[in-house]
Amino acid sequence: MEKNRVAITGIGAVTPVGNNPDIFWKNICDGKSGVDRISLFDPSDFDSKIAGQIKDFDSSMYLGQKDIKRMDRFVQFAVACSKMALENSGLDTDKEDKSRIGVLIGSGIGGLKVIEDQHNVLLQKGPSRVSPFLIPMLIIDMASGQVAIQFGLKGPNFAIATACASGSHAIGEAFRIIQRGEADIMIAGGTETAITPIGVAGFCKMKALSTRNDKPEKASRPFDRDRDGFVIGEGAGILLLEDLDHATRRGAYIYAELAGFGMTADAYHITSPSPEGEGAAQAMKLALDDAALNPEDIDYINAHGTSTPFNDRCETKAIKTVFGKYAKNIPVSSTKSMTGHLLGASGGVELIACVLSIKHGIITPTINYENPDPECDLDYVPNTARECKIQYAMSNSFGFGGHNSALVVKEY
């Protein structure tokens, strides 16, 4: 059966380096870090005291006060980014069949803050004082649900939770829905707000986070020999995916075409990637096959690149497995060096980075790359953005539990 082609016609981003796509893009091209000391709570007793936090986000720009009180922060980010993406696309939903517009937004953890707050209420004041909105505020599918409610969208609607691959998997599944003709338009991406005491404590106890607390802006350093873990971040990245024929009929601006999606499982360990990167490699190969491309067609890879030794080395091995001798010719960079690791939101934000790289002909840098790791020997675009014609770009996302996802976008 012939598949529908899928265009990207709108983008929305809330990130530690900017609360809309234009500011985000300028700052990652300039190599600006969004990592700083945690201010959402007092981190004095924590091993890691730093994070990529959202700054100056004004939820009242997107929501009324009643809705703000009934939504966790991760849902507020999703609604804000969806509104940005819709406005950016020029789509007038009132002129569309809203049963043909769906929403698929992933999150790794969901409403962690509201769980913490309401647990304190339970302990201090008893069960009768727990909020009736606790459950609808915390559940992961509420990001998709609230976006649909806000804009009256009645097409396919669900959520995906695959840890740090959630946003990428959501976009891949939305891509499939349009390919199969089950919707004309899908709002898809990821959102996450896990910078809370229990969230940071949990990652600290796993020894997963950087403790370079004295130099926060230097802490996220993917592929560098002296990295010591990832920096937790928060944010959201949402794209408007559209049937290509639908987009051309209404004269939409097309950022790029979504061309391929691959997903696999490591089936190896709850947190560590498989040592040789077999699962990651197979996800990349499936995405290439899905896009009907050869390895030498890819001009740029936005790496998962978390700044942990296991991930960086396994992803490097996986890239070598898929791309062979050509691997060292492909520019590879990690947006996380500037944003920190946005967990379930990272796939959406990083695909937006790929789309804007194609549009502007610029590859964003991997900052803090100062001392090469001998086991990471690819071209990581160190520290400075690079002008480069990009026809095809790949975005990788991998999650705890061994979830692997790769997306391919191409110039339109």
Coordinates of all heavy atoms in Angstrom, one line a residue, residues 259-344:
A259 N 10.9 11.5 6.9 CA 11.1 10.5 5.9 C 11.3 9.1 6.5 O 11.1 8.1 5.7 CB 12.3 10.9 5.0
G260 N 11.7 9.0 7.7 CA 12.0 7.6 8.2 C 11.9 7.5 9.7 O 12.2 8.5 10.4
F261 N 11.6 6.3 10.2 CA 11.5 6.1 11.6 C 11.9 4.6 11.9 O 11.4 3.7 11.2 CB 10.0 6.3 12.1 CG 9.7 5.9 13.5 CD1 10.5 6.2 14.5 CD2 8.5 5.2 13.8 CE1 10.2 5.9 15.9 CE2 8.2 4.9 15.1 CZ 9.0 5.2 16.1
G262 N 12.7 4.4 12.9 CA 13.1 3.1 13.3 C 13.1 3.0 14.8 O 13.4 3.9 15.5
M263 N 12.7 1.8 15.3 CA 12.7 1.6 16.8 C 13.0 0.1 17.1 O 12.6 -0.8 16.4 CB 11.3 2.0 17.4 CG 10.1 1.3 16.8 SD 8.6 1.9 17.6 CE 7.4 1.1 16.6
T264 N 13.7 0.0 18.2 CA 14.1 -1.4 18.7 C 14.2 -1.4 20.2 O 14.1 -0.3 20.8 CB 15.5 -1.8 18.1 OG1 16.5 -0.9 18.7 CG2 15.6 -1.8 16.6
A265 N 14.4 -2.5 20.8 CA 14.8 -2.7 22.2 C 16.1 -3.3 22.3 O 16.5 -4.2 21.6 CB 13.7 -3.5 22.9
D266 N 16.9 -2.9 23.4 CA 18.1 -3.6 23.7 C 17.9 -4.9 24.3 O 18.7 -5.8 24.1 CB 19.0 -2.7 24.7 CG 19.7 -1.6 24.0 OD1 19.7 -1.5 22.7 OD2 20.2 -0.7 24.7
A267 N 16.9 -5.1 25.1 CA 16.6 -6.3 25.9 C 17.9 -6.7 26.6 O 18.3 -7.9 26.6 CB 16.2 -7.4 24.9
Y268 N 18.5 -5.7 27.3 CA 19.7 -6.0 28.0 C 19.8 -5.6 29.5 O 20.1 -6.4 30.3 CB 20.8 -5.2 27.2 CG 22.2 -5.2 27.9 CD1 23.0 -6.3 27.9 CD2 22.7 -4.0 28.5 CE1 24.2 -6.3 28.5 CE2 23.9 -4.0 29.1 CZ 24.7 -5.2 29.1 OH 25.9 -5.2 29.7
H269 N 19.4 -4.3 29.8 CA 19.5 -3.8 31.2 C 18.5 -2.7 31.4 O 18.1 -2.0 30.5 CB 21.0 -3.3 31.4 CG 21.3 -3.0 32.8 ND1 21.2 -1.7 33.3 CD2 21.9 -3.7 33.8 CE1 21.6 -1.7 34.6 NE2 22.0 -2.9 34.9
I270 N 18.2 -2.4 32.7 CA 17.2 -1.4 33.0 C 17.7 0.0 32.7 O 16.9 0.9 32.4 CB 16.6 -1.5 34.4 CG1 17.8 -1.4 35.4 CG2 15.8 -2.8 34.6 CD1 17.3 -1.4 36.9
T271 N 19.0 0.2 32.8 CA 19.5 1.6 32.6 C 20.6 1.7 31.6 O 20.8 2.6 30.8 CB 20.0 2.3 33.9 OG1 21.0 1.4 34.5 CG2 18.8 2.4 34.9
S272 N 21.5 0.7 31.5 CA 22.7 0.7 30.6 C 22.3 0.3 29.2 O 21.6 -0.7 29.0 CB 23.8 -0.2 31.2 OG 24.3 0.3 32.4
P273 N 22.9 1.0 28.2 CA 22.7 0.5 26.8 C 23.5 -0.8 26.6 O 24.5 -1.1 27.3 CB 23.3 1.6 26.0 CG 24.2 2.3 26.9 CD 23.7 2.2 28.3
S274 N 23.1 -1.5 25.6 CA 23.9 -2.7 25.3 C 25.3 -2.3 24.9 O 25.5 -1.3 24.2 CB 23.2 -3.5 24.2 OG 23.1 -2.7 23.0
P275 N 26.3 -3.0 25.4 CA 27.7 -2.6 25.3 C 28.2 -2.3 23.8 O 29.0 -1.3 23.6 CB 28.5 -3.7 25.9 CG 27.6 -4.4 26.8 CD 26.2 -4.3 26.1
E276 N 27.7 -3.0 22.9 CA 28.2 -2.7 21.5 C 27.2 -1.9 20.7 O 27.4 -1.6 19.5 CB 28.4 -4.1 20.8 CG 29.5 -4.9 21.4 CD 30.8 -4.2 21.5 OE1 31.2 -3.6 20.5 OE2 31.5 -4.3 22.5
G277 N 26.1 -1.4 21.4 CA 25.2 -0.5 20.7 C 24.3 -1.2 19.7 O 23.8 -0.5 18.7
E278 N 24.1 -2.5 19.8 CA 23.4 -3.2 18.7 C 22.0 -2.7 18.5 O 21.5 -2.5 17.4 CB 23.3 -4.7 19.0 CG 24.6 -5.4 19.2 CD 25.0 -5.5 20.7 OE1 24.5 -4.7 21.5 OE2 25.7 -6.4 21.1
G279 N 21.2 -2.5 19.6 CA 19.9 -2.0 19.5 C 19.8 -0.6 18.9 O 18.9 -0.3 18.0
A280 N 20.7 0.3 19.3 CA 20.7 1.6 18.7 C 21.1 1.6 17.2 O 20.5 2.3 16.4 CB 21.7 2.5 19.4
A281 N 22.0 0.7 16.9 CA 22.4 0.6 15.5 C 21.2 0.1 14.6 O 21.0 0.6 13.5 CB 23.6 -0.4 15.4
Q282 N 20.5 -0.9 15.1 CA 19.4 -1.4 14.3 C 18.3 -0.4 14.2 O 17.7 -0.3 13.1 CB 18.9 -2.7 15.0 CG 17.8 -3.4 14.3 CD 18.2 -3.9 12.9 OE1 19.3 -3.9 12.5 NE2 17.2 -4.4 12.1
A283 N 18.1 0.4 15.2 CA 17.0 1.5 15.1 C 17.5 2.5 14.0 O 16.6 2.9 13.1 CB 16.9 2.2 16.4
M284 N 18.7 2.9 14.0 CA 19.2 3.8 12.9 C 19.1 3.1 11.5 O 18.7 3.8 10.5 CB 20.7 4.2 13.2 CG 20.8 5.2 14.3 SD 22.5 5.7 14.4 CE 23.1 4.7 15.7
K285 N 19.4 1.9 11.4 CA 19.4 1.2 10.1 C 17.9 1.1 9.6 O 17.6 1.3 8.5 CB 20.0 -0.2 10.2 CG 20.0 -1.0 8.9 CD 20.7 -2.3 9.0 CE 20.8 -3.0 7.7 NZ 19.6 -3.1 6.9
L286 N 17.0 0.8 10.6 CA 15.6 0.7 10.2 C 15.1 2.1 9.7 O 14.3 2.1 8.8 CB 14.7 0.2 11.4 CG 14.9 -1.3 11.8 CD1 14.2 -1.6 13.1 CD2 14.4 -2.2 10.7
A287 N 15.5 3.1 10.4 CA 15.1 4.5 9.9 C 15.6 4.8 8.5 O 14.9 5.4 7.7 CB 15.5 5.5 10.9
L288 N 16.9 4.4 8.3 CA 17.4 4.6 6.9 C 16.7 3.8 5.9 O 16.3 4.3 4.8 CB 18.9 4.1 6.9 CG 20.0 5.1 7.5 CD1 21.3 4.4 7.5 CD2 20.0 6.4 6.7
D289 N 16.4 2.6 6.2 CA 15.6 1.7 5.3 C 14.2 2.3 5.0 O 13.7 2.3 3.9 CB 15.5 0.3 5.8 CG 16.9 -0.4 5.8 OD1 17.8 0.1 5.2 OD2 16.9 -1.5 6.5
D290 N 13.6 2.8 6.1 CA 12.3 3.3 6.0 C 12.3 4.5 5.0 O 11.3 4.8 4.3 CB 11.8 3.7 7.4 CG 10.3 4.0 7.4 OD1 9.5 3.4 6.7 OD2 9.9 4.9 8.1
A291 N 13.4 5.3 5.1 CA 13.5 6.5 4.2 C 14.0 6.2 2.9 O 14.2 7.1 2.0 CB 14.4 7.5 4.9
A292 N 14.4 4.9 2.6 CA 14.9 4.4 1.4 C 16.3 5.2 1.1 O 16.5 5.6 0.0 CB 13.9 4.6 0.2
L293 N 17.1 5.3 2.1 CA 18.4 5.9 2.0 C 19.5 5.0 2.2 O 19.4 3.9 2.9 CB 18.5 7.1 3.0 CG 17.5 8.2 2.9 CD1 17.7 9.2 4.0 CD2 17.6 8.9 1.5
N294 N 20.7 5.4 1.7 CA 21.9 4.7 2.0 C 22.7 5.4 3.1 O 22.5 6.6 3.3 CB 22.8 4.6 0.7 CG 22.2 3.8 -0.4 OD1 21.7 2.7 -0.1 ND2 22.2 4.3 -1.6
P295 N 23.6 4.7 3.8 CA 24.3 5.4 4.9 C 25.0 6.7 4.4 O 25.0 7.7 5.2 CB 25.3 4.4 5.4 CG 24.6 3.1 5.1 CD 23.9 3.3 3.8
E296 N 25.5 6.7 3.2 CA 26.3 7.9 2.8 C 25.4 9.1 2.4 O 25.9 10.2 2.1 CB 27.2 7.6 1.6 CG 26.5 7.0 0.4 CD 26.3 5.5 0.4 OE1 26.4 4.9 1.5 OE2 26.3 4.9 -0.7
D297 N 24.1 8.9 2.5 CA 23.1 10.0 2.2 C 23.0 10.9 3.4 O 22.6 12.1 3.2 CB 21.7 9.4 1.9 CG 21.7 8.7 0.5 OD1 22.5 9.1 -0.4 OD2 21.0 7.7 0.4
I298 N 23.3 10.5 4.6 CA 23.0 11.3 5.8 C 24.1 12.3 5.9 O 25.3 12.0 5.9 CB 23.0 10.4 7.1 CG1 21.8 9.4 7.0 CG2 22.9 11.3 8.3 CD1 20.4 10.1 7.1
D299 N 23.7 13.6 6.1 CA 24.6 14.7 6.2 C 24.9 15.2 7.6 O 25.8 15.9 7.8 CB 24.0 15.9 5.4 CG 23.7 15.6 4.0 OD1 24.6 15.1 3.3 OD2 22.5 15.8 3.5
Y300 N 24.0 14.7 8.5 CA 24.2 15.2 9.9 C 23.4 14.3 10.9 O 22.3 13.8 10.5 CB 23.7 16.7 10.1 CG 23.4 17.1 11.5 CD1 24.5 17.1 12.4 CD2 22.2 17.6 11.9 CE1 24.3 17.6 13.7 CE2 22.0 18.0 13.2 CZ 23.1 18.0 14.1 OH 22.9 18.4 15.4
I301 N 24.0 14.0 12.0 CA 23.3 13.2 13.1 C 23.2 14.1 14.3 O 24.3 14.5 14.8 CB 24.1 11.9 13.4 CG1 24.1 11.0 12.1 CG2 23.4 11.2 14.6 CD1 24.9 9.7 12.3
N302 N 22.0 14.3 14.8 CA 21.9 14.9 16.1 C 21.8 13.8 17.1 O 20.9 13.0 17.2 CB 20.6 15.8 16.2 CG 20.5 16.6 17.5 OD1 20.4 16.0 18.6 ND2 20.5 17.9 17.4
A303 N 22.9 13.6 17.9 CA 23.1 12.4 18.7 C 22.2 12.5 20.0 O 21.9 13.6 20.4 CB 24.6 12.3 19.1
H304 N 21.9 11.3 20.5 CA 21.3 11.3 21.8 C 22.3 12.0 22.8 O 21.9 12.8 23.6 CB 21.1 9.8 22.2 CG 20.3 9.7 23.5 ND1 19.1 10.3 23.7 CD2 20.6 9.1 24.7 CE1 18.6 10.0 24.9 NE2 19.5 9.3 25.5
G305 N 23.6 11.6 22.7 CA 24.7 12.4 23.3 C 24.4 12.9 24.7 O 24.4 14.1 24.9
T306 N 24.3 12.0 25.7 CA 23.9 12.5 27.0 C 25.0 13.1 27.9 O 24.7 13.7 28.9 CB 23.2 11.3 27.8 OG1 24.2 10.3 27.9 CG2 22.0 10.8 27.2
S307 N 26.2 12.7 27.6 CA 27.4 13.1 28.4 C 27.6 12.1 29.6 O 28.1 12.4 30.6 CB 27.2 14.5 29.0 OG 28.3 14.9 29.8
T308 N 27.2 10.9 29.3 CA 27.6 9.8 30.2 C 28.5 8.9 29.4 O 28.3 8.6 28.2 CB 26.3 8.9 30.7 OG1 25.7 8.3 29.6 CG2 25.3 9.8 31.4
P309 N 29.5 8.3 30.1 CA 30.5 7.5 29.4 C 29.8 6.3 28.6 O 30.1 6.0 27.5 CB 31.4 7.0 30.5 CG 31.4 8.1 31.5 CD 29.9 8.6 31.5
F310 N 28.9 5.6 29.3 CA 28.2 4.4 28.6 C 27.5 4.9 27.4 O 27.7 4.3 26.3 CB 27.3 3.8 29.6 CG 27.9 2.8 30.5 CD1 27.5 2.8 31.9 CD2 28.8 1.9 30.1 CE1 28.1 1.9 32.7 CE2 29.4 1.0 30.9 CZ 29.1 1.0 32.3
N311 N 26.7 5.9 27.5 CA 25.9 6.3 26.3 C 26.8 6.8 25.2 O 26.6 6.4 24.0 CB 24.9 7.4 26.7 CG 24.2 7.9 25.4 OD1 23.1 7.4 25.0 ND2 24.7 9.0 24.8
D312 N 27.7 7.7 25.5 CA 28.5 8.3 24.4 C 29.3 7.2 23.7 O 29.4 7.3 22.4 CB 29.4 9.3 25.0 CG 28.7 10.5 25.5 OD1 27.5 10.6 25.4 OD2 29.4 11.4 26.1
R313 N 29.9 6.3 24.4 CA 30.7 5.3 23.7 C 29.8 4.3 23.0 O 30.2 3.9 21.8 CB 31.5 4.5 24.8 CG 32.7 5.4 25.3 CD 33.3 4.8 26.6 NE 34.3 5.7 27.2 CZ 34.8 5.6 28.4 NH1 34.5 4.5 29.1 NH2 35.6 6.5 28.8
C314 N 28.7 3.9 23.5 CA 27.8 2.9 22.8 C 27.2 3.6 21.6 O 27.1 2.9 20.5 CB 26.7 2.4 23.8 SG 27.4 1.4 25.1
E315 N 26.8 4.8 21.7 CA 26.2 5.5 20.5 C 27.3 5.6 19.4 O 27.0 5.5 18.2 CB 25.7 6.9 20.9 CG 24.9 7.5 19.7 CD 24.1 8.8 20.1 OE1 24.3 9.3 21.2 OE2 23.3 9.2 19.3
T316 N 28.5 6.0 19.8 CA 29.6 6.0 18.8 C 29.8 4.7 18.1 O 29.9 4.6 16.9 CB 30.9 6.5 19.5 OG1 30.7 7.8 20.1 CG2 32.1 6.5 18.6
K317 N 29.8 3.6 18.9 CA 30.0 2.3 18.3 C 28.8 2.0 17.3 O 29.0 1.4 16.2 CB 30.0 1.2 19.4 CG 31.3 1.2 20.2 CD 31.2 0.1 21.2 CE 32.5 0.0 22.1 NZ 32.4 -1.0 23.1
A318 N 27.6 2.4 17.8 CA 26.4 2.1 16.9 C 26.5 2.9 15.6 O 26.2 2.3 14.5 CB 25.1 2.5 17.7
I319 N 26.9 4.1 15.7 CA 27.1 4.9 14.4 C 28.1 4.3 13.5 O 27.9 4.2 12.3 CB 27.4 6.4 14.8 CG1 26.2 7.1 15.5 CG2 27.9 7.2 13.5 CD1 26.6 8.4 16.1
K320 N 29.2 3.8 14.1 CA 30.2 3.1 13.3 C 29.7 1.9 12.6 O 30.0 1.5 11.5 CB 31.4 2.8 14.1 CG 32.2 4.0 14.5 CD 33.4 3.6 15.4 CE 34.3 4.8 15.8 NZ 35.4 4.4 16.6
T321 N 28.9 1.1 13.4 CA 28.3 -0.1 12.9 C 27.4 0.2 11.6 O 27.5 -0.5 10.6 CB 27.4 -0.8 13.9 OG1 28.3 -1.1 15.0 CG2 26.8 -2.1 13.4
V322 N 26.6 1.2 11.7 CA 25.6 1.5 10.7 C 26.3 2.2 9.5 O 26.1 1.8 8.3 CB 24.5 2.4 11.2 CG1 23.6 2.8 10.0 CG2 23.7 1.7 12.3
F323 N 27.2 3.1 9.7 CA 27.8 4.0 8.7 C 29.2 3.5 8.2 O 29.7 4.1 7.2 CB 27.8 5.4 9.1 CG 26.4 6.0 9.3 CD1 25.8 5.9 10.6 CD2 25.7 6.5 8.3 CE1 24.5 6.4 10.8 CE2 24.4 7.0 8.5 CZ 23.8 6.9 9.7
G324 N 29.8 2.6 8.9 CA 31.0 2.0 8.4 C 32.1 3.1 8.3 O 32.2 4.0 9.1
K325 N 32.9 3.0 7.2 CA 34.0 4.0 7.0 C 33.5 5.4 6.9 O 34.2 6.4 7.2 CB 34.8 3.6 5.8 CG 35.6 2.3 6.0 CD 36.4 2.0 4.7 CE 37.2 0.7 4.9 NZ 38.0 0.4 3.6
Y326 N 32.2 5.5 6.4 CA 31.6 6.8 6.2 C 31.4 7.6 7.5 O 31.2 8.8 7.6 CB 30.4 6.7 5.4 CG 29.7 8.0 5.0 CD1 30.3 8.9 4.2 CD2 28.5 8.3 5.6 CE1 29.7 10.1 3.8 CE2 27.8 9.5 5.2 CZ 28.5 10.4 4.4 OH 27.9 11.6 4.1
A327 N 31.3 6.8 8.6 CA 30.9 7.4 9.9 C 31.8 8.6 10.3 O 31.3 9.6 10.8 CB 31.0 6.3 11.1
K328 N 33.1 8.5 10.0 CA 34.0 9.7 10.4 C 33.8 10.9 9.5 O 34.3 12.0 9.8 CB 35.4 9.2 10.4 CG 35.7 8.2 11.5 CD 37.1 7.9 11.7 CE 37.4 7.0 12.9 NZ 38.8 6.8 13.3
N329 N 33.0 10.7 8.4 CA 32.7 11.9 7.6 C 31.5 12.6 7.9 O 31.2 13.7 7.4 CB 32.6 11.4 6.1 CG 33.9 10.8 5.6 OD1 35.0 11.2 6.0 ND2 33.7 9.9 4.6
I330 N 30.7 12.0 8.9 CA 29.4 12.6 9.2 C 29.5 13.6 10.4 O 29.9 13.1 11.5 CB 28.3 11.5 9.5 CG1 28.2 10.5 8.4 CG2 27.0 12.2 9.8 CD1 27.3 9.4 8.7
P331 N 29.1 14.8 10.3 CA 29.1 15.7 11.5 C 28.0 15.1 12.5 O 26.9 14.8 12.1 CB 28.7 17.0 10.9 CG 28.9 17.0 9.5 CD 28.7 15.5 9.1
V332 N 28.5 15.0 13.7 CA 27.6 14.5 14.8 C 27.6 15.6 15.9 O 28.7 15.9 16.3 CB 28.1 13.2 15.3 CG1 27.2 12.7 16.5 CG2 28.1 12.1 14.2
S333 N 26.5 16.0 16.4 CA 26.6 16.9 17.6 C 25.5 16.7 18.6 O 24.5 16.0 18.2 CB 26.5 18.4 17.1 OG 25.2 18.7 16.6
S334 N 25.7 17.2 19.8 CA 24.7 16.9 20.8 C 24.1 18.3 21.3 O 24.8 19.0 22.0 CB 25.3 16.2 22.0 OG 24.4 16.1 23.1
T335 N 22.8 18.5 21.1 CA 22.2 19.7 21.6 C 22.1 19.7 23.1 O 22.1 20.7 23.8 CB 20.7 19.7 21.1 OG1 20.7 19.4 19.7 CG2 20.0 21.0 21.3
K336 N 22.2 18.5 23.7 CA 22.2 18.4 25.2 C 23.4 19.1 25.9 O 23.3 19.4 27.1 CB 22.2 16.9 25.6 CG 20.9 16.2 25.3 CD 20.9 14.7 25.8 CE 19.6 14.0 25.4 NZ 19.5 13.6 24.0
S337 N 24.5 19.3 25.1 CA 25.6 20.0 25.7 C 25.2 21.4 26.1 O 25.8 22.0 27.0 CB 26.7 20.1 24.7 OG 26.4 20.8 23.5
M338 N 24.1 21.9 25.5 CA 23.6 23.3 25.9 C 22.3 23.3 26.7 O 22.1 24.1 27.6 CB 23.4 24.1 24.6 CG 24.7 24.3 23.9 SD 24.6 24.9 22.2 CE 24.2 23.4 21.3
T339 N 21.4 22.4 26.4 CA 20.1 22.4 27.1 C 20.1 21.5 28.3 O 19.2 21.6 29.2 CB 19.0 21.8 26.2 OG1 19.3 20.4 25.8 CG2 18.9 22.6 24.9
G340 N 21.1 20.6 28.5 CA 21.0 19.5 29.4 C 20.1 18.5 28.8 O 19.6 18.6 27.7
H341 N 19.8 17.4 29.6 CA 19.0 16.3 29.1 C 17.6 16.5 29.4 O 17.2 16.4 30.6 CB 19.6 15.0 29.7 CG 19.0 13.8 29.1 ND1 17.9 13.8 28.2 CD2 19.4 12.4 29.2 CE1 17.7 12.5 27.8 NE2 18.5 11.7 28.4
L342 N 16.8 16.7 28.5 CA 15.3 17.1 28.7 C 14.5 15.8 28.8 O 13.3 15.9 28.8 CB 14.8 17.9 27.6 CG 15.6 19.2 27.3 CD1 14.9 20.1 26.2 CD2 15.9 20.0 28.5
L343 N 15.1 14.6 29.0 CA 14.4 13.4 29.2 C 13.4 13.1 28.1 O 13.7 13.1 26.9 CB 13.8 13.3 30.6 CG 14.8 13.7 31.7 CD1 14.1 13.7 33.1 CD2 16.0 12.8 31.7
G344 N 12.1 13.0 28.5 CA 11.1 12.7 27.5 C 10.8 13.8 26.5 O 10.2 13.5 25.4

